[in-house]
Amino acid sequence: MPAPLVTPPQPHGPVPTTRQLQWHQHEFYGFLHFGVNTFTDREWGYGDEDPALFNPTDFDADQIASTAAAAGMTGLILTCKHHDGFCLWPSRYTQHSVRHSPWKSGEGDMVREISDACARQGIRFGAYLSPWDRNHAEYGRPQYVDDYRKQLVELTTEYGDLFEVWFDGANGGDGHYGGANETRHIDRRTYYDWETTWQIIRKHQPGAVMFSDAGPDVRWVGNEKGIAGDPCWSTLSTKALYPGFGGDWNTGFEPDMVNAWASDGQMLNEGDRGGEGWLPAECDVSVRPGWFYHTAEDDQVRTPEQLLELYFHSVGRGASFLLNVPPDRRGRWHERDVESLLGFRRRLDDIFTRDLACEAQISASQTRGNADEFAPGRLLDADPLTYWSTDDDQVSAEVTLQFPSPVTLNLIRLREHLPLGQRVDKFILQTRQGDEWQTFGQGSAIGNCRLLRGQTTTTTAVRIGILTGAACPALQEIGIFYDSDAAE
Ligand code: FUL
């Protein structure tokens, strides 16, 4: 007789869509701010810049993409158009583009070159298309929205698969606007009609997530410092961001981004346990003070150690780490930035290559239906489809790892099985010291990834206690590491 089938736990609360689940695996990827600002030394172009200014002297998409891959980035998001309106591809819907620059005699297409180089390096490509366009004569009127959508169609149909489409929130105000040189205000609630605009991406790039301050797929973390809240829930009270919305959250569509702007930064930073939507956070931050390259900032590049801190504060709290590394006037990543990126990657490798958990005997206070498919060994099999779980009424539970000989550790990683939602509220990590259990660390919220650093400890056993939760735990992974540099 075959053993009776043990049913998996029911999902708790909101759960990620397939595209969000795939995005969660990306964790660390790069941002490329490149355009006329690179050549004018500005952060926000006015829109009247001469396209002739754009002329990288030694552009090398492979230098950028191969360094990104070597640094552990899983993708690159390019500012195809920033607020100044200059398009890095020869868009049919503006004159303000690479077509009118001396670079490759107007025959160049930077979006093509970067997306192709990403494909060659086995990393993903994403597009940033600024809704605000300070060059476009029709900005503020219906014609511009039409052109904006056509540009989105170009980007989503002519450059292969995108993993993310990025909409920044800056909008309105003064600009060149085809020579009008005036201030134009838009009604944020209605002007872009985002619901219609987003359908373009859903239609042509169903696998791509869309980022804006409040989604629909990925939310802003509420600051540009690269720091997620502790805890940082992937769920959010989208109704608080969009009061009055009566739609269906499951479609992932929201009516507009307006209330996100007026929203509580803390809510974006920490999320909301009990929120109705799955809306995970992305931490965007630059490796330098500015988003665009400025020679004057060459000695202000973040160090590998600072990047590692950002990693712990973003990926380590269940969010993603979007690190901007701006190409310089040559059209390459500057040597100092490359050095930092590769140094950061070496640190990650040093820390994460040896997972001590794999050397332990693992047991649990309870296993769901005593079934092998939910056994604690699933925490160590590196398979994202498997997890340890307990019976429905066993919300508090614990897992113990027993080592054959003492190990030294100072970092523990936990992952929840996201298709079943965020279930754990509070957990504690302990190490065995003689006859006692000592607290190594504790926290609330696990989600995609939770990294907990603690005192360097030598021990023969580690215990993960799930103290409270909204439903029985479904833990996907535990990793135990030793960062020798942190121990010094
Ligand atoms: C903001 C923009 O205004 C900045 O220039 C930069 O692109 C940043 C990532 O997003 O909204």
Side-chain angles (χ1 to χ4, degrees), residues 163-322:
F163 83 107
E164 180 163 333
V165 180
W166 216 89
F167 300 113
D168 69 279
N171 245 303
D174 64 334
H176 179 63
Y177 305 131
N181 296 314
E182 60 189 15
T183 298
R184 290 187 184 170
H185 295 294
I186 52 147
D187 181 346
R188 291 179 189 280
R189 281 169 309 164
T190 54
Y191 182 55
Y192 296 106
D193 177 11
W194 282 111
E195 206 169 335
T196 305
T197 303
W198 286 337
Q199 311 259 13
I200 295 168
I201 292 138
R202 287 289 192 253
K203 179 174 169 200
H204 299 300
Q205 297 284 341
V209 292
M210 288 183 252
F211 166 96
S212 83
D213 290 355
D217 302 312
V218 177
R219 76 175 195 263
W220 187 39
V221 78
N223 63 61
E224 291 180 339
K225 297 184 197 143
I227 298 180
D230 182 7
C232 178
W233 300 96
S234 284
T235 49
L236 191 66
S237 275
T238 34
K239 279 184 184 143
L241 291 176
Y242 305 106
F245 178 59
D248 175 6
W249 296 113
N250 294 329
T251 63
F253 280 95
E254 281 103 38
D256 59 62
M257 295 193 267
V258 61
N259 288 302
W261 273 74
S263 81
D264 181 354
Q266 194 184 346
M267 187 180 281
L268 292 173
N269 196 238
E270 296 180 359
D272 178 19
R273 178 59 161 162
E276 296 94 337
W278 189 270
L279 199 51
E282 178 180 85
C283 300
D284 60 324
V285 59
S286 187
V287 75
R288 291 158 169 259
W291 292 103
F292 285 87
Y293 175 82
H294 310 288
T295 310
E297 294 177 354
D298 280 352
D299 56 3
Q300 295 176 66
V301 177
R302 289 180 203 266
T303 63
E305 220 45 46
Q306 289 169 329
L307 295 179
L308 186 65
E309 277 307 299
L310 292 177
Y311 181 86
F312 281 117
H313 286 102
S314 54
V315 175
R317 292 179 176 173
S320 71
F321 182 16
L322 170 53

Side-chain angles (χ1 to χ4, degrees), residues 31 33 43-44 82-83 128 166 168-170 224 284 291:
F31 220 174
H33 275 69
E43 279 290 309
W44 277 14
H82 202 248
H83 313 327
Y128 170 128
W166 216 89
D168 69 279
E224 291 180 339
D284 60 324
W291 292 103

Side-chain angles (χ1 to χ4, degrees), residues 370-436:
N370 288 320
D372 185 46
E373 62 187 296
F374 303 115
R378 302 296 182 180
L379 287 161
L380 305 179
D381 64 7
D383 181 347
L385 299 177
T386 69
Y387 52 93
W388 160 69
S389 190
T390 60
D391 289 346
D392 286 344
D393 60 356
Q394 303 284 309
V395 172
S396 329
E398 57 192 45
V399 167
T400 306
L401 293 102
Q402 191 77 45
F403 296 94
S405 54
V407 293
T408 300
L409 60 99
N410 51 19
L411 173 66
I412 295 181
R413 180 171 68 198
L414 299 174
R415 294 183 190 276
E416 270 186 293
H417 187 62
L418 297 187
L420 297 179
Q422 271 192 283
R423 309 166 75 87
V424 174
D425 279 295
K426 286 205 164 62
F427 63 92
I428 185 165
L429 305 172
Q430 294 167 305
T431 59
R432 190 85 180 157
Q433 302 299 328
D435 293 338
E436 313 232 299

